[in-house]
């Protein structure tokens, strides 16, 4: 059975050249990059090359790149570091209601430790309430953290507008750009952020490797204490194979963005054209303010997780909400923040494409999903009749 993988917002298949770069790093560049001998030298060269490539991807200076274990660590470093560094008044953190758990749970832990956390609302299409953002950012804050595009709906958040407000008020600003590489250009100067987080496995790189961009001169406190790696900003021996692989993936993502976007937009339209024809189905999120490639739909009367399991028996892989919330079988906090009515909340699925997804994949996946929905509704007469 051929598998059709439409869960690229959860993780991406590593690119073949990434697998090769990881293999090469483990066979030839396995030294400790802090060692002064030849073995260390080879590992250090791999790390430095990747640092240059990652810097080029987001138009930063190589010295502004800190390698981490992924976006979760990067986000925790910024939020906790700035909260710890706040002197005098208790820290105040501003986030949005649709952030990834990495941000929401970190903010919750800081709140338990005495920080104030204010959450910017979104509307029913997942768009940020700018007036609410302005109101919350009119008071002093320790840090504001928002995502560039939402991992469940693909909806874009107005990062440059928020950056301008933060700059005016002197509030450090972090962008979670985890879902963006390869799908939109990333230039930190244009975004106007002080910090930006990435995770390699979301763009064809290996898991367990990520980036934290720290603007030169930005106030910063490290999360992990130990030996002074990464310019004393992150302790722990660098994950050289992961970093080397991420560098290769970043080089690929920096190229061909317009063509990739066009292809992803075509796939999005194709999937939605087919799936929205299914009775009592709706789209979640603003159709015209999304990063291309992510489709979030709800089927009334059935559970999204049941559709996922039924379709997976025919080799089609996607998720109900985000992979993280799906694992808990709860409703998505993103769709809840969008005031999605109960019957739509539980029937939500997310399909996310990549550059290698074909139109034939989209058609076949749509056919399987259509069959799965019909089957599940036929099992429950209430769902079939619309009274579920
Ligand atoms: N931020 C966003 C928007 C994400 O989609 C994810 C992963 O799903 C993360 C942060 C966390 O990434 P990781 O689990 O690689 O640390």
């Amino acid at each position: 059975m051929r598998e059709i993988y439409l869960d690229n917002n959860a993780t991406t298949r590593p690119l073949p050249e990434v697998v090769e770069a990881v293999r090469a790093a483990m066979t030839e560049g396995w030294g400790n990059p802090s060692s002064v001998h030849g073995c260390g030298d080879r590992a250090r060269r791999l790390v430095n090359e990747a640092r240059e490539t990652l810097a080029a991807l987001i138009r930063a200076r190589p010295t502004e790149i800190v390698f981490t274990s992924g976006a979760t660590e990067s986000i925790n470093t910024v939020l906790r570091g700035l909260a710890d560094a706040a002197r005098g008044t208790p820290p105040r953190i501003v986030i949005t209601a649709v952030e990834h758990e990495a941000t929401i749970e970190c903010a919750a832990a800081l709140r338990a430790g005495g920080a104030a956390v204010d959450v910017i609302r979104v509307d029913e299409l997942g768009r940020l309430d700018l007036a609410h953002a302005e109101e919350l950012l009119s008071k002093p804050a320790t840090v504001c953290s928002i995502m560039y595009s939402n991992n469940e709906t693909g909806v874009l958040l107005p990062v440059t507008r928020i950056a301008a407000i933060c700059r005016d008020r002197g509030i450090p600003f972090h962008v979670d750009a985890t879902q963006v590489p390869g799908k939109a250009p990333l230039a930190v100067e244009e975004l106007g952020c002080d910090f930006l987080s990435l995770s390699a496995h979301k763009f064809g790189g290996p898991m367990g490797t990520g980036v934290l961009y720290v603007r030169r001169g930005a106030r910063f406190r490290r999360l992990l204490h130990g030996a002074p790696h990464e310019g004393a900003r992150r302790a722990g021996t660098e994950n050289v194979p992961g970093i080397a692989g991420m560098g290769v993936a970043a080089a690929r993502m920096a190229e061909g963005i317009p063509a990739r976007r066009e292809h992803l937009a075509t796939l999005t339209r194709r999937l939605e054209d087919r799936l929205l024809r299914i009775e009592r189905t709706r789209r979640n999120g603003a159709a015209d303010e999304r990063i291309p490639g992510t489709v979030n739909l709800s089927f009334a009367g059935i559970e999204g997780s049941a559709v996922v399991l039924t379709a997976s028996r025919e080799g089609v892989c996607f998720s109900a909400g985000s992979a993280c919330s799906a694992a808990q079988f709860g409703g998505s906090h993103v769709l809840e923040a969008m005031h999605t009515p109960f019957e739509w909340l539980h029937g939500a699925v997310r399909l996310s494409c990549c550059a290698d997804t074909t139109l034939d994949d989209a058609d076949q996946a749509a056919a399987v999903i259509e069959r799965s929905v019909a089957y599940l509704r036929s099992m429950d007469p209430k769902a079939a009749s619309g009274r579920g």
Side-chain angles (χ1 to χ4, degrees):
M1 181 172 62
R2 188 172 76 93
E3 242 178 21
I4 298 177
Y5 185 74
L6 296 178
D7 205 9
N8 288 278
N9 288 8
T11 197
T12 54
R13 180 198 297 268
L15 297 164
E17 57 268 46
V18 167
V19 176
E20 177 48 33
V22 171
R23 195 202 59 78
M26 295 193 86
T27 47
E28 292 137 36
W30 48 265
N32 186 323
S34 298
S35 301
V36 293
H37 47 63
C39 285
D41 225 31
R42 287 193 291 280
R44 193 161 50 250
R45 260 205 306 274
L46 291 176
V47 172
N48 287 342
E49 260 173 47
R51 200 182 304 284
E52 300 268 342
T53 318
L54 264 304
L57 178 74
I58 61 170
R59 307 236 181 284
R61 300 175 184 89
T63 50
E64 293 172 318
I65 300 293
V66 177
F67 290 124
T68 65
S69 64
T72 300
E73 182 190 322
S74 300
I75 293 165
N76 274 261
T77 302
V78 174
L79 268 54
R80 186 168 282 282
L82 289 176
D84 284 351
R87 294 191 202 100
T89 51
R92 177 171 173 264
I93 295 160
V94 179
I95 62 172
T96 83
V98 293
E99 294 305 305
H100 187 268
E101 285 84 345
T103 302
I104 291 188
E105 293 302 319
C106 181
L110 292 168
R111 182 194 275 131
V117 178
D118 282 323
V119 181
I120 309 170
R121 288 188 295 260
V122 297
D123 69 9
E124 72 284 0
L125 293 178
R127 297 171 304 190
L128 200 71
D129 181 338
L130 259 176
H132 193 217
E134 297 221 13
E135 183 195 324
L136 292 182
L137 293 170
S138 65
K139 290 172 261 166
T142 311
V143 59
C144 170
S145 181
I146 77 171
M147 58 190 359
Y148 188 124
S149 83
N150 185 266
N151 49 305
E152 294 191 31
T153 61
V155 172
L156 293 159
L157 276 74
V159 279
T160 49
R161 288 286 303 275
I162 301 296
I165 299 171
C166 287
R167 200 168 35 246
D168 278 357
R169 312 276 151 77
I171 299 171
F173 180 50
H174 168 255
V175 173
D176 174 4
T178 305
Q179 293 292 342
V180 181
K183 297 182 221 158
L186 277 171
V188 285
E189 288 294 330
E190 280 166 37
L191 290 175
C193 58
D194 300 296
F195 306 97
L196 180 138
S197 295
L198 297 176
S199 238
H201 72 107
K202 306 287 184 176
F203 59 91
M207 286 175 177
T209 308
V211 162
L212 174 60
Y213 156 77
V214 181
R215 186 181 55 73
R216 187 164 67 178
R219 183 175 213 189
F220 177 82
R221 185 172 287 190
R222 65 186 177 162
L223 181 68
L224 300 181
H225 296 269
H229 301 291
E230 295 297 291
R233 290 168 298 182
R234 199 264 186 181
T237 304
E238 290 89 344
N239 171 2
V240 179
I243 291 168
M246 175 164 61
V248 170
R252 270 285 293 279
M253 292 303 119
E255 302 162 351
I257 291 176
R260 196 179 294 113
R261 282 176 69 87
E262 205 176 305
H263 179 58
L264 291 172
T266 306
L267 290 164
T268 305
R269 273 195 302 276
R270 186 79 153 230
L271 283 166
E272 287 191 343
D273 282 352
R274 293 273 312 247
L275 294 171
L276 285 170
R277 269 191 253 145
I278 301 174
E279 254 182 63
R280 291 182 301 122
T281 299
R282 74 165 221 172
R283 175 196 298 121
N284 299 309
D288 48 2
E289 292 176 45
R290 280 182 297 177
I291 207 150
T294 302
V295 170
N296 193 310
L297 301 170
S298 288
F299 305 107
I302 48 178
E303 290 288 326
S305 50
V307 182
V308 168
L309 290 174
T310 309
S312 81
R313 286 197 223 120
E314 291 195 57
V316 180
C317 308
F318 54 98
S319 61
S322 75
C324 317
S325 43
Q328 295 159 14
F329 282 91
S332 143
H333 72 278
V334 173
L335 298 185
E336 274 179 18
M338 291 158 63
H339 298 292
T340 307
F342 185 81
E343 68 162 345
W344 296 114
L345 194 61
H346 285 267
V349 300
R350 177 191 69 184
L351 313 168
S352 44
C353 308
C354 71
D356 292 336
T357 311
T358 64
L359 284 176
D360 187 50
D361 290 338
D363 289 341
Q364 286 196 38
V368 167
I369 293 169
E370 212 172 325
R371 265 202 304 281
S372 304
V373 170
Y375 166 75
L376 290 165
R377 284 184 174 160
S378 75
M379 302 289 284
D380 177 356
K382 283 210 303 294
S385 68
R387 282 181 278 111

